[in-house]
Amino acid sequence: MTAFVYQFLAFAYQVADVFAFLVLAAGGLAIIFGMMGIINMAHGEFITCGAYVTTALVRAGLPLPVGIVMGALFAGVLGIALERTIVRRFYNRPIDSLVVTWGVSLIATQGALLVLGSAWTSVGTPLGSIGFGDYSFALYRLVMLAVAIGVLVGLYLLFMKTRFGVHARATMQNPAMARALGVPTERIYAQTFGLGAALAGLAGGVYAPTLTLSPTMGTGFVVESFVTVVVGGADVLTGTAPASAVLAIIRAACTAAWGQVFGLIGLLVTVCIVIRVLPEGFSGWLMRRRA
Amino acid sequence: MPTETLLELADLCSGYGSTPVLQGIDLSVQRGEIVAVIGRNGVGKTTMMRCLIGQLRAWSGSIRFKGNEISSRPPEVRAHLGFGYIPQGREVFPRMTVEENLRVGEMIGARTDAKLYDIVYEFFPILAERRQQKAGTMSGGQQQQLAIGRAMIGNPGLLLLDEPSEGIQPSIVQDITRVMQRVNRELGTTILFVEQNLDVILALAHRCYVMDKGRIVAERSAEELQDREVAKRDLQI
Amino acid sequence: MTLRDIPVLFNGPQTLGRGKLFWLGVAAVIVAAAIYPQYAERFAISNTAYFGVWVFMALGLGLIWGYGGMLSFGQTAFFGLAGYAYGVIAINLGAAHSYPFLALICALAIGTAFAAVLGYFMIYGGINGVFVGIVTLSVTLAFATFMNQTAGPQWRIGRARLNGYNGMTRIPSLSIDWLDGHRIRFEGATFYYLVLGLLVVTYLALRVLVNSRFGNVLVGTRENPERVELLGYDVRRYQLGAFTIGGFLASLSGALYTAWGNFIVPASMALPAAAMPIIWVAVGGREDLTATLVGSFVVLYVFQALTVVSQEYALVAIGALLVVTVLIAPGGYVIWAVDMASRLRRRAGPSPPLSDPALKARTQRG
Amino acid sequence: MSMLRNLAIASAAGLMLGVSAAAALADDKPPLKIGLLEDHSGDIAIFTMPKVHGAHLAVDEINAAGGILGRKLEIIEYDPQFDNAKFQEFARRLIEKDGVQVIFGAATSASREAIRPIIDKDNALLFYAQQYEGGVCDGNMIGTGGVPEQQFSTLIPYMMEKYGKKVYVIAADYNFGQISTEWTRKLVTEAGGQILGAELIPLGVSQFGQTIQNIQKAKPDWLMTLVVGNAQSAFYEQAAAAGLHIPMGSSITIGLGFEHKRFKPPTMQGMHVVMNWFEEIDRPAAKAFVARWHAKYPNETYINDMGENEYSAIYMYKKLAEMAGSFDLDKIRAQIATGKACIDAPEGQICIDPKSQHASHQMTLLSVNADHSVKVEKVWPRVDPYWLGQIGCDLTKDDPKEQYTPSNLPSK
């Protein structure tokens, strides 16, 4: 009996772990996509950026949480800069925006390789581990889950309870009308892009201690974040969150049963099915059901 | 009647792509007036409204508001200056609640601190009742009331109404007409609207411009409009 | 049809370049390309053929994206599938007789069929806009991921081990037996002539296609699908047609690439590889076949020249080129150059250069 | 310590002096071009840059000493950036355009397999200076790195004796990992042990929560880790954070990836690895080599086994050419067939085995302490690459150009 409980706990821990990964990896991408219909191909580079800034600051002696926050802020500022200089020219050309952000991503990755070299020493995972029966878990991964949930709650409050949120949602639904009512939509776009980039930076910072840093590390998040956004659709709260939960269960179950390869393949098969059945993802489907 | 000129258009030209629609509009609105622009379908009334709020660029000519040239200002700045825009087809934010829709309107007339929630809810009791309802699930008439309420929240100096009666039940049209008169009377809000519905025009307008082929071709006083024959001719030009 | 009608087939509103001068130029380029192997060294010939191999995929993407308005991120999936199909079949049949040629035909059929099925699911499933890009990318990555894990000995088809991440090597080159038993092996200059011939045929065939009703409907759909539908066309059929032809051309690239290098790996489908065709097509000009063709060649050449110096700088440069192109010349630099040239000419002389309706439409949208 | 340093400086100085005379002589012949095809950037560049440095160090020393057969060496190099198609493209360019006959390079098995057909077709020579999964029987390739019979048949019996017979394997899901897993399975079961689980992990995967749980559930005595690349090396960090304290064995960590220098202690505690070279090897020639290296490349974190193997490979080429009195491949192979092609590498003497054309090595087993210092547990003075010869590969007689594995043996 206790063995079963431990078994269940272990599975739940795995699901939670994947859930946190997907929410953090995809949150920033989903916000930008939901707001502007733009697929930010440089998403992975913002993750990398957050990870490097965090690591650099921790190595310079700052505490990890401060490093993570600074990493997120730095990525956010870079995001706003990218939006102001390049992305804003492409709001009515979503496909070109995909191409142009891909170009930016190439420049960023290869530029980072040139400047930073190919790998950095990690700062080490803080906190210890706790044991249950045969298993032991890293406590830090529970912190990641807490951060992921915190991000979702934070986004809920931001979008539902603040003036920025009201303006952002209005802009999302009808930018021309929002503008005619005095909403500074350009600023909203820049801020949202910055927010998406900052969330990507946050993901990078949070995962930095557990990974080997390299300029190409962002690509390790990209496939998962695309999958989550496609399955979730254009809205973070009604899309990304449930999509992450469902995908986490599928991935954890496939990995537990058949190994890592099938965990990954399970994800990709799910995407293909969801796209055929719900072309606009979970949130699109929910929206149409409610309307 | 006050005599200060609030809005003045001079030789305004605009259009879509390379197709001209407005070919030199001249009109002016005094503070506190209710002015209608009437004309057949497709003469450029909605184009003029979109040009006024700034969704469409003015090719040439001028738009003066309180004496300042604003034709190169973006829409949000015009809203901050006090333009309250109620577009054709309402364009409420469907997936936001009534209250949230109203909150978006707060940016209008940015400098005024007092936001008129109480007054809007008093004028449109249905909005108070459905505060938490998603705007997309309401009827056309309710949405029109919401669109007007949304534009009024920030106490704008000038309301721009584009065909307020279009697609709405006659009884609600009458309600809306009455509210607009109260708004004008009690808040002193200036109103410029375009319309084809003669009843609404007669009930609301102090003065009237007749538009055809992108130009103002005539101006009518309220008295002249009472002559149904004149009005009908103007609408069918 | 008389001889006089033939030029009409190749020219039309959907392609730039017309008139005697243009076609004389085309002929000159073909002749120059044909005598080139007489004067070039072995590596250069083989390398030029290698560039040519990629251009089929670029032309296919130009058709899907430039003319059809659907950004496919999945051309390398068809490329890879056909490459693997060629490898598996050619290894199993062996290099005797015309078996490698048979393998090529089968590989093209498999790649094209897959494109048709995927296209059917997407286009008839109502997927459009950026989602076409994400779906095709997901499929490509899924396929690459799957092929990456086929390293184990259980992953074999007949005599062919799939070999996972390492990919398949020692795949027979393309060869064909003539009736008299004389064998032609497509290696070196022979392979070069094969690619050249196929390129000329493909280019001309695509010109005919896009200037036919098919091309007009396709472009109309890109600009305004509702209106084309109102005119009574089944828009989706045309889109599927374009997608399938694009898939066929990517398959051709894949099978030829595999036959040329005797080699295919999953990495030739994964993310960095999948983005390359988009770069060639976007930078050169996607809405015109000639621009795609010329642009792809130039980008491939410049990119290779840069990688010899430094791979990192080459990728930074290609990224920068992409960003700058999309910012300054969204239609691609070849079209931009043509446009600039005609603008200059207009300033200089009386001939009205913007009379070409296709060019006119482009400049307005730009 | 200071004596060692003096020795190093003295030998370097001696080298310089003795050489300048010969150098004058070498100038009139055109330099001999050799190809160097290693990643300068990309996913595994931190591990392959020492190969680049090793090659340049060796070439500089050889040129300073007068070159080979009176000809100086000129390195022509490209950066394939971990892209196997680029490896092919550049291998072709090196042979067909730049006219080199010998290429030093390729790190992953995938890149080696990508270029081997090209090398074979043009009858060039590839020095593959890399520890790998073994089994390549190809007359156009000389392997100067460790192979499984050198690494696994030393490490596995040691681990089974010291820690127990129940083993769990995690490996990168491509040929290297697959074949190394095969080797582990073969050696563990032959010695009466048991493989509790073997998990193959796709390249690029960086999340190991489930894997760590699977290991905990299986309760092995020790763990064989054959993970590859930056993403997968996160396993160690995550396993340590999850409290998975278990003895580990590997054929690629520490000596290749110098994880004990890159990760925060005590992440790598309990790791055991057998290799022919570690920077920590305590031997005068090794110390002098390390001093020369760091004098030329002061920023090098660690000289890994690839770096030393590449360095030795160039000296091996020099030795072979001098024995043959020619750069001709057939003459060089005739010298290999004598079995007398030996050099004194920094690690100790290495000789090329005539049957397989792989190098014999002195093998060292290191374990990693909690503070990431290392301890030499055992040394095998000479281990020959015997397996290929045993199963019937004999390049002096026949050249199948195949790669064999325990499950894919020659057909006769």
Side-chain angles (χ1 to χ4, degrees):
Chain A
M1 191 59 210
T2 44
F4 177 78
V5 172
Y6 289 144
Q7 203 73 310
F8 178 78
L9 263 178
F11 182 70
Y13 173 85
Q14 291 309 329
V15 171
D17 194 36
V18 182
F19 173 77
F21 182 78
L22 294 177
V23 166
L24 289 171
L29 190 70
I31 281 182
I32 292 172
F33 177 63
M35 184 68 169
M36 296 164 250
I38 282 181
I39 294 286
N40 175 22
M41 295 293 285
H43 180 64
E45 280 59 46
F46 286 112
I47 294 178
T48 310
C49 166
Y52 269 87
V53 171
T54 301
T55 306
L57 291 178
V58 171
R59 283 213 248 155
L62 288 175
L64 182 62
V66 176
I68 292 174
V69 169
M70 297 301 287
L73 285 178
F74 189 79
V77 170
L78 274 189
I80 290 175
L82 179 65
E83 197 276 343
R84 287 288 82 190
T85 50
I86 294 177
V87 176
R88 70 186 181 91
R89 297 164 205 272
F90 294 95
Y91 285 135
N92 47 359
R93 289 152 57 193
I95 292 180
D96 280 350
S97 72
L98 193 151
V99 172
V100 86
T101 50
W102 165 257
V104 169
S105 138
L106 258 185
I107 299 173
T109 310
Q110 300 296 325
L113 273 172
L114 281 167
V115 175
L116 301 170
S118 62
W120 272 20
T121 315
S122 116
V123 293
T125 311
L127 307 174
S129 60
I130 51 164
F132 288 102
D134 290 341
Y135 303 113
S136 57
F137 308 116
L139 283 170
Y140 186 70
R141 303 202 79 91
L142 297 179
V143 173
M144 291 173 170
L145 178 65
V147 172
I149 292 171
V151 163
L152 289 177
V153 172
L155 287 177
Y156 174 82
L157 293 176
L158 180 67
F159 278 100
M160 304 311 279
K161 303 290 174 199
T162 66
R163 191 159 89 159
F164 168 80
V166 169
H167 285 178
R169 281 189 295 144
T171 306
M172 211 181 299
Q173 292 177 27
N174 189 339
M177 192 60 223
R179 207 170 174 204
L181 291 169
V183 176
T185 48
E186 288 203 7
R187 200 193 308 159
I188 298 277
Y189 282 143
Q191 286 166 341
T192 316
F193 201 90
L195 177 64
L199 280 182
L202 178 73
V206 168
Y207 276 88
T210 73
L211 297 173
T212 316
L213 264 67
S214 77
T216 48
M217 66 182 289
T219 50
F221 292 76
V222 162
V223 173
E224 276 92 343
S225 48
F226 268 51
V227 164
T228 312
V229 169
V230 170
V231 171
D235 192 273
V236 180
L237 299 167
T238 63
T240 311
S244 299
V246 170
L247 291 171
I249 293 171
I250 291 173
R251 182 170 201 172
C254 289
T255 308
W258 303 299
Q260 293 256 25
V261 177
F262 286 89
L264 202 54
I265 289 180
L267 279 193
L268 296 168
V269 169
T270 311
V271 183
C272 296
I273 295 171
V274 167
I275 276 168
R276 186 68 190 87
V277 184
L278 310 171
E280 285 161 50
F282 282 8
S283 53
W285 174 69
L286 278 174
M287 210 181 281
R288 251 183 302 151
R289 257 173 61 103
R290 255 191 272 159
Chain B
M1 286 294 257
T3 52
E4 186 198 345
T5 302
L6 190 66
L7 179 75
E8 191 171 19
L9 311 187
D11 200 23
L12 183 69
C13 296
S14 183
Y16 301 94
S18 54
T19 319
V21 177
L22 305 182
Q23 321 221 23
I25 301 276
D26 298 280
L27 64 76
S28 65
V29 180
Q30 309 297 312
R31 184 184 289 279
E33 264 193 317
I34 304 182
V35 176
V37 176
I38 66 175
R40 284 176 303 126
N41 259 336
V43 296
K45 303 190 297 291
T46 294
T47 306
M48 183 190 76
M49 285 309 226
R50 296 193 52 205
C51 199
L52 275 177
I53 191 62
Q55 287 181 346
L56 210 62
R57 196 175 50 87
W59 293 4
S60 64
S62 82
I63 305 172
R64 286 177 168 275
F65 184 67
K66 294 180 182 166
N68 300 315
E69 179 62 46
I70 57 154
S71 58
S72 59
R73 297 301 190 85
E76 67 268 28
V77 171
R78 297 188 202 192
H80 299 165
L81 289 173
F83 280 49
Y85 177 53
I86 299 127
Q88 199 175 18
R90 282 84 68 182
E91 301 201 29
V92 294
F93 303 109
R95 295 189 300 281
M96 288 165 67
T97 62
V98 167
E99 194 171 1
E100 288 169 337
N101 263 280
L102 295 178
R103 280 186 72 187
V104 180
E106 283 183 7
M107 298 298 285
I108 293 170
R111 256 172 253 150
T112 52
D113 289 330
K115 300 301 168 190
L116 310 181
Y117 283 94
D118 294 343
I119 294 173
V120 168
Y121 284 139
E122 191 211 322
F123 282 1
F124 302 109
I126 189 79
L127 299 184
E129 234 171 76
R130 308 209 160 175
R131 238 177 260 212
Q132 297 306 325
Q133 191 176 333
K134 288 268 189 291
T137 60
M138 301 201 302
S139 73
Q142 290 162 350
Q143 288 190 10
Q144 183 63 281
Q145 297 179 38
L146 175 58
I148 295 169
R150 186 175 64 179
M152 280 172 55
I153 282 290
N155 197 11
L158 172 68
L159 274 180
L160 301 169
L161 268 127
D162 195 347
E163 302 235 12
S165 72
E166 191 210 14
I168 292 170
Q169 297 173 31
S171 63
I172 301 198
V173 170
Q174 280 183 11
D175 287 350
I176 291 175
T177 312
R178 246 172 275 139
V179 172
M180 297 319 294
Q181 283 168 336
R182 274 185 72 192
V183 169
N184 175 250
R185 221 170 31 240
E186 293 171 23
L187 302 172
T189 310
T190 312
I191 299 174
L192 175 66
F193 71 108
V194 305
E195 184 56 80
Q196 297 192 72
N197 182 327
L198 190 55
D199 294 331
V200 178
I201 299 166
L202 290 176
L204 214 50
H206 300 159
R207 207 152 60 79
C208 197
Y209 287 101
V210 185
M211 193 167 176
D212 189 36
K213 291 180 186 153
R215 286 195 177 82
I216 300 295
V217 291
E219 191 187 337
R220 304 265 182 257
S221 66
E223 293 72 35
E224 286 173 295
L225 278 176
Q226 295 304 331
D227 184 342
R228 289 241 158 194
E229 287 310 307
V230 174
K232 273 194 177 147
R233 203 173 56 230
D234 287 343
L235 282 170
Q236 285 163 10
I237 262 172
Chain C
M1 190 168 73
T2 65
L3 218 58
R4 278 176 146 255
D5 295 333
I6 291 177
V8 178
L9 287 176
F10 293 107
N11 294 317
Q14 309 303 355
T15 45
L16 291 179
R18 58 180 55 194
K20 253 186 205 144
L21 213 63
F22 173 79
W23 287 105
L24 274 175
V26 170
V29 168
I30 295 173
V31 168
I35 56 171
Y36 169 73
Q38 310 301 319
Y39 301 97
E41 57 184 64
R42 185 164 76 112
F43 177 77
I45 298 167
S46 157
N47 201 40
T48 312
Y50 170 70
F51 291 157
V53 162
W54 296 107
V55 171
F56 298 102
M57 180 153 66
L59 286 172
L61 181 62
L63 183 71
I64 297 177
W65 180 22
Y67 286 87
M70 304 172 281
L71 173 58
S72 166
F73 231 113
Q75 294 311 94
T76 54
F78 315 133
F79 176 95
L81 182 63
Y84 270 99
Y86 176 81
V88 168
I89 298 169
I91 285 178
N92 275 299
L93 293 179
H97 307 298
S98 298
Y99 288 156
F101 189 74
L102 185 67
L104 175 75
I105 303 293
C106 294
L108 293 182
I110 290 169
T112 311
F114 178 61
V117 171
L118 179 65
Y120 174 80
F121 271 102
M122 275 191 333
I123 291 161
Y124 284 81
I127 292 166
N128 47 37
V130 282
F131 267 94
V132 173
I134 307 180
V135 172
T136 46
L137 182 61
S138 301
V139 170
T140 309
L141 293 180
F143 188 40
T145 308
F146 177 80
M147 290 315 296
N148 255 332
Q149 58 85 48
T150 57
Q154 72 275 27
W155 292 104
R156 68 166 61 232
I157 302 174
R159 290 198 288 159
R161 275 278 295 269
L162 296 179
N163 266 335
Y165 173 79
N166 282 20
M168 297 172 67
T169 54
R170 297 173 194 276
I171 296 164
S173 297
L174 202 55
S175 65
I176 193 166
D177 274 2
W178 286 120
L179 293 175
D180 58 357
H182 175 66
R183 157 162 295 192
I184 302 179
R185 296 172 59 85
F186 291 99
E187 282 174 334
T190 326
F191 185 82
Y192 171 87
Y193 282 116
L194 174 73
V195 170
L196 178 62
L198 286 172
L199 264 182
V200 172
V201 170
T202 305
Y203 173 70
L204 293 179
L206 283 176
R207 270 193 86 114
V208 173
L209 183 76
V210 298
N211 285 318
S212 69
R213 192 176 67 181
F214 179 91
N216 291 330
V217 173
L218 196 61
V219 171
T221 306
R222 177 189 74 199
E223 298 301 316
N224 191 342
E226 290 82 15
R227 214 167 86 188
V228 177
E229 229 158 68
L230 281 178
L231 289 171
Y233 292 102
D234 182 358
V235 166
R236 294 179 297 185
R237 240 177 56 201
Y238 289 86
Q239 288 182 319
L240 179 57
F243 195 82
T244 309
I245 295 169
F248 165 78
L249 289 171
S251 304
L252 183 59
S253 275
L256 288 175
Y257 171 80
T258 310
W260 175 83
N262 316 104
F263 172 73
I264 182 81
V265 276
S268 41
M269 303 179 258
L271 193 57
M276 291 318 274
I278 292 172
I279 295 178
W280 307 328
V281 174
V283 171
R286 59 178 181 265
E287 290 178 11
D288 181 75
L289 288 171
T290 321
T292 304
L293 182 88
V294 174
S296 303
F297 255 111
V298 173
V299 175
L300 277 161
Y301 179 81
V302 169
F303 183 59
Q304 193 192 52
L306 287 172
T307 54
V308 170
V309 181
S310 157
Q311 178 80 5
E312 290 146 313
Y313 281 111
L315 284 166
V316 170
I318 206 88
L321 181 63
L322 187 63
V323 171
V324 169
T325 308
V326 180
L327 277 174
I328 294 174
Y333 72 83
V334 174
I335 289 176
W336 179 77
V338 169
D339 189 25
M340 287 308 270
S342 58
R343 228 178 261 177
L344 283 176
R345 238 190 311 153
R346 178 172 45 177
R347 211 167 291 165
S351 73
L354 285 182
S355 57
D356 185 330
L359 185 57
K360 202 169 190 175
R362 245 169 238 130
T363 33
Q364 275 167 9
R365 244 177 302 124
Chain D
M1 192 64 210
S2 72
M3 206 191 85
L4 275 173
R5 190 178 298 157
N6 285 341
L7 194 77
I9 293 169
S11 61
L15 220 74
M16 297 291 221
L17 271 176
V19 170
S20 17
L25 219 134
D27 275 343
D28 31 337
K29 287 190 191 165
L32 178 79
K33 291 176 180 171
I34 61 172
L36 183 62
L37 210 48
E38 301 287 5
D39 297 329
H40 294 232
S41 58
D43 265 11
I44 59 164
I46 40 163
F47 317 127
T48 52
M49 273 320 279
K51 294 182 88 174
V52 176
H53 294 160
H56 278 276
L57 180 63
V59 165
D60 285 0
E61 288 177 7
I62 289 171
N63 282 347
I68 304 178
L69 299 175
R71 289 180 71 179
K72 290 203 171 179
L73 299 181
E74 183 191 342
I75 292 182
I76 303 197
E77 60 185 325
Y78 300 112
D79 172 19
Q81 201 175 42
F82 200 55
D83 176 348
N84 297 325
K86 280 265 173 289
F87 265 100
Q88 279 211 321
E89 191 182 317
F90 288 140
R92 265 198 195 92
R93 174 176 284 266
L94 279 170
I95 297 170
E96 295 178 7
K97 189 174 168 72
D98 302 323
V100 310
Q101 286 169 343
V102 53
I103 293 178
F104 296 79
T108 62
S109 308
S111 56
R112 180 198 67 235
E113 288 307 297
I115 63 174
R116 208 152 57 79
I118 297 166
I119 305 274
D120 293 343
K121 202 166 164 182
D122 289 312
N123 199 25
L125 180 61
L126 171 68
F127 275 89
Y128 183 51
Q130 181 78 34
Q131 67 74 231
Y132 79 112
E133 70 280 3
V136 173
C137 180
D138 183 339
N140 292 88
M141 184 185 112
I142 294 173
T144 64
V147 286
E149 58 268 38
Q150 292 166 327
Q151 295 188 285
F152 290 115
S153 51
T154 47
L155 175 71
I156 289 173
Y158 177 89
M159 293 297 282
M160 286 177 67
E161 191 177 311
K162 187 158 180 190
Y163 296 108
K165 302 203 162 204
K166 288 186 283 183
V167 186
Y168 198 96
V169 187
I170 61 167
D173 191 5
Y174 78 117
N175 292 40
F176 166 76
Q178 292 259 2
I179 296 172
S180 298
T181 305
E182 253 182 62
W183 270 98
T184 309
R185 193 184 292 278
K186 172 174 137 71
L187 291 170
V188 168
T189 42
E190 275 173 11
Q194 192 190 354
I195 299 282
L196 297 180
E199 215 169 298
L200 291 162
I201 295 154
L203 290 165
V205 161
S206 65
Q207 300 297 312
F208 291 93
Q210 186 68 48
T211 303
I212 291 165
Q213 273 187 12
N214 294 348
I215 296 167
Q216 291 180 330
K217 195 177 168 192
K219 294 187 205 148
D221 295 322
W222 58 281
L223 177 68
M224 179 68 95
T225 64
L226 301 161
V227 291
V228 172
N230 275 328
Q232 291 197 350
S233 65
F235 168 80
Y236 298 111
E237 184 63 51
Q238 291 172 22
L244 179 74
H245 300 301
I246 185 171
M248 296 181 281
S250 173
S251 64
I252 42 174
T253 52
I254 310 302
L256 188 154
F258 43 100
E259 286 80 358
H260 60 315
K261 302 281 181 196
R262 294 193 294 128
F263 291 2
K264 203 174 167 183
T267 310
M268 299 307 292
Q269 184 186 4
M271 173 58 77
H272 297 70
V273 53
V274 174
M275 282 201 172
N276 59 308
W277 168 263
F278 297 97
E279 196 180 297
E280 293 87 351
I281 282 180
D282 194 13
R283 186 172 178 270
K287 295 283 176 198
F289 166 71
V290 171
R292 288 202 302 280
W293 187 299
H294 286 302
K296 187 168 165 70
Y297 300 106
N299 293 326
E300 195 84 79
T301 315
Y302 188 82
I303 305 168
N304 62 5
D305 73 319
M306 300 177 174
E308 194 260 0
N309 285 335
E310 188 97 312
Y311 175 87
S312 308
I314 291 187
Y315 271 101
M316 183 58 84
Y317 181 57
K318 175 172 187 281
K319 175 81 181 178
L320 288 169
E322 283 169 358
M323 281 169 73
S326 158
F327 297 104
D328 182 72
L329 179 58
D330 291 334
K331 290 186 182 148
I332 283 176
R333 285 188 60 198
Q335 290 305 315
I336 293 175
T338 64
K340 287 180 188 151
C342 298
I343 60 163
D344 272 312
E347 66 181 87
Q349 195 191 48
I350 63 172
C351 300
I352 300 293
D353 166 50
K355 287 184 173 174
S356 64
Q357 296 189 173
H358 283 62
S360 70
H361 287 292
Q362 167 178 298
M363 303 304 288
T364 306
L365 195 158
L366 283 191
S367 67
V368 180
N369 301 320
D371 63 350
H372 280 193
S373 62
V374 296
K375 185 176 163 216
V376 176
E377 301 277 359
K378 198 170 172 183
V379 175
W380 290 263
R382 175 167 172 161
V383 185
D384 280 309
Y386 57 80
W387 184 72
L388 273 169
Q390 231 172 45
I391 61 164
C393 159
D394 187 350
L395 289 167
T396 59
K397 298 195 177 106
D398 184 31
D399 189 357
K401 303 196 187 300
E402 264 286 353
Q403 183 175 16
Y404 300 114
T405 70
S407 69
N408 175 33
L409 298 170
S411 41
K412 13 168 193 178

